[in-house]
Amino acid sequence: MQEEGLILRKEVAKLAGVSEATVSRVMNGARPVREATRRKVLEAAERLGYVPSALAQQFARKRSGNIGVIVPYVPKVRLFSTYYFSEILSGIGEAAQQRGYDMLLMFRSPYEARDYERLYRTRKVDACVMLGSQDTPGELEALARLAEADHPFVLVNQRFDGAPFGTVEADHEQGGYEATRHLLGRGCRRIALLNGPLVYSNSADRLTGYRRALAEAGLPADPGLCYAGNYSRTSGAAAAPALAEAIAQGRVDGVFAANDRMAIGLLQGLRERGLLPGADVALIGYDDSEAARLTEPQLSSVAVPFHALGVRAAQRLLGRTADGSPADDASPVLVEKLPVQLVARASSLTYTPSV
Amino acid sequence: MQEEGLILRKEVAKLAGVSEATVSRVMNGARPVREATRRKVLEAAERLGYVPSALAQQFARKRSGNIGVIVPYVPKVRLFSTYYFSEILSGIGEAAQQRGYDMLLMFRSPYEARDYERLYRTRKVDACVMLGSQDTPGELEALARLAEADHPFVLVNQRFDGAPFGTVEADHEQGGYEATRHLLGRGCRRIALLNGPLVYSNSADRLTGYRRALAEAGLPADPGLCYAGNYSRTSGAAAAPALAEAIAQGRVDGVFAANDRMAIGLLQGLRERGLLPGADVALIGYDDSEAARLTEPQLSSVAVPFHALGVRAAQRLLGRTADGSPADDASPVLVEKLPVQLVARASSLTYTPSV
DNA sequence: TGCGAAAATGAACGCGTGTACATCATGGGA
DNA sequence: TCCCATGATGTACACGCGTTCATTTTCGCA
């Protein structure tokens, strides 16, 4: 029983016997409208199958109703296809949908200049969530320009110390601290750190937590125990030869890998060399991705509330939902930290130091 | 050196000493514009930092420039966070970006009615890619209505036989066939199928391929060898008790799981019962996700070109890029099938039948 | 040099909505 | 009963662009 073509506000107004302005008020729930009129209009709209043009609404309101999500993208290595981003995206989408916003997904090419500002000036997005941002001079400048132009955005899991950018992150220093404490608790005394690039603040945070735990335990922070990866499984495997030797020689008895992918790469590399995490060394990863449950032995890890990070990021940008408490959406702390949780599994639990 | 506020076309026109229409033509690359004029306008636009309002453009053109991507979403089980969807999304995003389109990501709640049509009528999207669609009466009807209203969409990895919907899928029948053939080639004669729900056409396709391979080998298709899962790891683990018994009793010597997650769940469940795929039974999964390389033994699988599926889906909706061959974007076959590829690993390769 | 056709440009308008302002109806208090 | 405040509705216009059509300019050719 649908009419052909597009139904305009004008036709609804005619059928309902009111003016277009009244139709507009009813559709938007604007204040002064008599209940009887309201019903008349709604019925007419229903009968005709009228749906306001989102395009015209956006134009008139000067708001797109879109929240942009910037995702890092490297053509060959599809970084995007990771647990990490998927979970955050779900969270953002959930929060955005509740507020009537749509999610515009955009890939950030590392090659071309990042013209974030253009997104706002063309009005394609009203606000942005930045994922996988790196602490580089170029990025800092681009973000500073955004902030200066008063374009709302929030960084997830990336902090720019000294720059007043809104951030929602997990408490990665605490995560690094607890992971290291856990290994210490298992009896480890020579704990290696397989970290990611320090352009990510979360890498630096984990390092800080790691050092703090060692210091508290009265252990030296040997720079020789820090290995550099890039968060890929391959880079974890690449660290295996050196670490295998260190373990065999008793120079390392525990390893904290800064994410699960590297931990798993390392696990596989060690096994190829006859060393089994959980027996010959204690190993703990980070992120508590699905993969942590797939390995043999299962991988200890630090759970990061990715979904919640996405929800919070969107909430901060869009304000809380109508029925939510309106308390802290104004301007909470600039940098918000969500707690992480250690998840102990066999890769560290079954290890007992030889000494 | 940026101007304050928004710069309008009018100001560019004034600075360049031309009319607004000419500015519009230059910005859109419309045909009759003298080169000198063109440069003048571009220079003026550059100086003022003029950027056309995407909102106004969309409104005037009656096109949003957005390609919608419908993703299934179940609040608790975040189906979305899988290799599968991430890869396809990357592909769609890549193709869309090349054509100047943006990606609008939308979650389909299984609870609320699927009002796809509204997306088009509000002009939020110009076209849609449907992921994880199910062959149910409600879905069929919703899609039929879209097709009737001439709203462009493409299904990925889901075919509605008998309905004239555009589809881009992998050749899952061939995949099921080759997976089964591979197990046969390893000497298996009693091959079980751990399949997913048949509301997904790809489940049905794999079943067909499985049966064809068995028939070609002169083996009966024993319905008792078909186990029902739901593509989750849990459901794979749930099949472990029954399959372990069947394997122990010699009633099963090979298992084809319809995706990697179930295969891995099964692998873990079997190991808990003292049975090791690769030694006591041959196992092959499907999708060739990253996880297939994480297990011990590593999991044989069938690689699906998820990224390419996404690219093709977007290409069919948006037409080929300017420099691409314009041949087949008009109306290729309605259902397009991309080839899959078998990837043999230890879970099937190291198995040798006892008899 | 002149002329006509084609190319280049300008003027004007429509797109469908939100909204400020004007107008009208309603109702309570004197 | 009258008046005014208030609530309800209608009128008119702006939003910034694309685009049609009229107008002007350019240029090839006689």
Side-chain angles (χ1 to χ4, degrees):
Chain A
M1 213 54 70
Q2 298 284 50
E3 282 298 317
E4 287 302 315
L6 267 296
I7 289 82
L8 275 60
R9 188 177 64 175
K10 176 170 29 174
E11 313 177 35
V12 177
K14 184 158 56 175
L15 179 58
V18 299
S19 74
E20 290 192 53
T22 299
V23 177
S24 178
R25 278 188 273 261
V26 170
M27 300 306 289
N28 294 323
R31 265 282 292 123
V33 169
R34 197 184 314 181
E35 182 56 26
T37 314
R38 173 188 186 71
R39 271 203 299 272
K40 256 194 317 186
V41 170
L42 286 179
E43 189 189 351
E46 174 76 17
R47 281 222 311 167
L48 294 175
Y50 169 69
V51 177
S53 159
L55 260 43
Q57 289 182 316
Q58 291 167 7
F59 176 54
R61 292 175 179 147
K62 300 188 200 314
R63 290 193 304 106
S64 68
N66 292 333
I67 179 172
V69 181
I70 310 286
V71 174
Y73 185 65
V74 187
K76 299 298 176 184
V77 189
R78 290 194 272 284
L79 242 188
F80 170 50
S81 61
T82 69
Y83 177 76
Y84 181 95
F85 292 116
S86 302
E87 283 293 302
I88 297 179
L89 268 185
S90 299
I92 298 171
E94 192 176 301
Q97 193 174 30
Q98 280 178 17
R99 290 158 186 75
Y101 272 76
D102 292 309
M103 243 173 90
L104 210 54
L105 198 57
M106 337 205 58
F107 296 99
R108 173 191 333 119
S109 163
Y111 308 130
E112 68 192 40
R114 29 197 149 237
D115 193 1
Y116 297 146
E117 199 167 1
R118 191 181 184 85
L119 291 178
Y120 294 87
R121 305 192 57 186
T122 62
R123 307 261 187 204
K124 277 194 173 175
V125 303
D126 300 331
C128 268
V129 178
M130 310 281 183
L131 302 188
S133 188
Q134 303 185 9
D135 188 348
T136 62
E139 184 81 357
L140 177 62
E141 186 194 325
L143 294 177
R145 198 172 7 240
L146 278 195
E148 196 175 356
D150 213 39
H151 291 143
F153 68 93
V154 162
L155 296 156
V156 171
N157 266 342
Q158 175 66 37
R159 209 177 54 249
F160 285 78
D161 287 319
F165 302 155
T167 294
V168 176
E169 64 179 352
D171 191 341
H172 296 295
E173 182 185 333
Q174 187 66 18
Y177 175 77
E178 289 190 11
T180 310
R181 285 264 305 179
H182 173 70
L183 293 179
L184 289 168
R186 298 308 307 157
C188 302
R189 283 299 172 270
R190 289 172 286 270
I191 299 174
L193 169 63
L194 173 54
N195 206 357
L198 294 177
V199 289
Y200 300 111
S201 66
N202 52 69
S203 304
D205 289 347
R206 281 186 283 260
L207 174 60
T208 304
Y210 161 81
R211 284 184 176 151
R212 179 157 62 92
L214 291 185
E216 275 187 14
L219 294 174
D222 181 357
L225 289 179
C226 286
Y227 295 76
N230 65 3
Y231 288 127
S232 73
R233 188 169 60 94
T234 312
S235 74
L243 269 165
E245 193 179 335
I247 293 167
Q249 299 176 350
R251 288 185 285 113
V252 164
D253 56 6
V255 180
F256 167 32
N259 77 344
D260 287 349
R261 307 179 82 170
M262 290 196 297
I264 289 168
L266 174 62
L267 187 153
Q268 295 182 319
L270 290 180
R271 183 149 51 192
E272 282 175 12
R273 289 166 178 76
L275 293 174
L276 196 64
D280 305 306
V281 64
L283 173 65
I284 185 168
Y286 203 96
D287 286 351
D288 192 32
S289 61
E290 286 196 325
R293 262 152 295 202
L294 303 186
T295 55
E296 177 60 31
Q298 291 195 7
L299 183 66
S300 297
S301 195
V302 176
V304 176
F306 290 117
H307 187 81
L309 287 173
V311 171
R312 279 302 299 146
Q315 282 180 345
R316 282 187 49 171
L317 288 175
L318 307 180
R320 286 184 168 279
T321 180
D323 58 331
S325 58
D328 57 348
D329 49 2
S331 171
V333 283
L334 207 57
V335 174
E336 199 169 347
K337 294 195 193 207
L338 272 55
V340 297
Q341 184 166 11
L342 189 129
V343 179
R345 297 200 183 88
S347 71
S348 61
L349 284 181
T350 59
Y351 174 73
T352 41
S354 48
V355 182
Chain B
M1 214 51 73
Q2 298 284 51
E3 281 299 317
E4 288 300 317
L6 267 294
I7 288 82
L8 275 59
R9 188 177 63 176
K10 174 170 33 174
E11 312 177 35
V12 177
K14 184 159 55 176
L15 178 58
V18 298
S19 73
E20 289 191 55
T22 299
V23 177
S24 177
R25 278 188 272 260
V26 170
M27 300 307 289
N28 294 323
R31 263 284 290 123
V33 170
R34 198 183 314 181
E35 183 55 27
T37 313
R38 172 188 188 70
R39 271 202 299 270
K40 255 193 317 186
V41 170
L42 286 179
E43 189 189 349
E46 174 75 16
R47 282 223 310 171
L48 294 176
Y50 169 70
V51 177
S53 158
L55 260 41
Q57 288 183 316
Q58 292 168 6
F59 177 55
R61 291 176 180 146
K62 301 188 201 312
R63 291 192 304 106
S64 68
N66 292 333
I67 180 173
V69 182
I70 310 285
V71 174
Y73 185 64
V74 187
K76 299 297 174 183
V77 188
R78 289 194 273 286
L79 243 186
F80 170 51
S81 61
T82 69
Y83 177 77
Y84 180 96
F85 291 117
S86 301
E87 283 293 300
I88 296 179
L89 268 184
S90 298
I92 298 171
E94 192 176 301
Q97 193 174 30
Q98 281 178 16
R99 289 157 186 75
Y101 272 77
D102 292 309
M103 242 174 92
L104 210 54
L105 198 57
M106 337 206 58
F107 297 99
R108 170 188 339 116
S109 163
Y111 308 130
E112 69 192 39
R114 29 198 149 236
D115 193 0
Y116 297 145
E117 200 168 2
R118 190 182 185 85
L119 291 178
Y120 295 87
R121 305 193 57 187
T122 61
R123 307 263 187 202
K124 279 193 172 175
V125 303
D126 300 331
C128 268
V129 179
M130 310 282 183
L131 301 188
S133 189
Q134 303 184 9
D135 188 350
T136 62
E139 185 81 358
L140 178 62
E141 186 194 324
L143 294 177
R145 201 177 358 247
L146 278 194
E148 196 176 356
D150 213 40
H151 292 143
F153 68 93
V154 162
L155 296 156
V156 171
N157 266 342
Q158 175 66 35
R159 210 177 51 249
F160 286 77
D161 287 318
F165 303 154
T167 293
V168 177
E169 63 179 352
D171 192 341
H172 297 296
E173 181 184 333
Q174 187 67 17
Y177 175 77
E178 289 189 12
T180 310
R181 284 264 306 180
H182 172 70
L183 294 179
L184 288 167
R186 298 308 307 158
C188 302
R189 284 299 172 271
R190 289 171 287 270
I191 300 174
L193 169 63
L194 173 53
N195 207 356
L198 294 178
V199 289
Y200 300 110
S201 66
N202 51 70
S203 305
D205 290 347
R206 281 186 282 261
L207 173 60
T208 303
Y210 160 81
R211 285 183 176 151
R212 179 157 61 93
L214 291 186
E216 276 187 13
L219 295 174
D222 181 359
L225 290 179
C226 286
Y227 294 76
N230 66 2
Y231 288 128
S232 72
R233 189 168 60 94
T234 312
S235 74
L243 270 164
E245 192 180 335
I247 293 166
Q249 298 177 348
R251 288 186 285 115
V252 164
D253 55 7
V255 179
F256 167 33
N259 77 343
D260 286 350
R261 307 178 82 170
M262 289 197 297
I264 290 167
L266 175 62
L267 186 153
Q268 296 182 318
L270 290 180
R271 184 149 49 194
E272 283 175 12
R273 289 167 177 75
L275 292 175
L276 196 64
D280 305 305
V281 64
L283 174 64
I284 185 168
Y286 202 96
D287 286 350
D288 192 33
S289 61
E290 286 195 327
R293 261 151 296 201
L294 304 185
T295 55
E296 177 61 31
Q298 290 195 6
L299 182 66
S300 297
S301 196
V302 176
V304 176
F306 290 118
H307 187 80
L309 287 173
V311 170
R312 278 303 298 148
Q315 283 180 344
R316 282 186 51 172
L317 287 175
L318 307 180
R320 287 186 166 277
T321 180
D323 58 331
S325 57
D328 57 347
D329 50 1
S331 169
V333 283
L334 206 58
V335 174
E336 200 169 346
K337 295 195 193 208
L338 273 54
V340 297
Q341 185 166 11
L342 188 130
V343 180
R345 297 199 183 89
S347 71
S348 61
L349 284 180
T350 59
Y351 174 72
T352 39
S354 48
V355 179

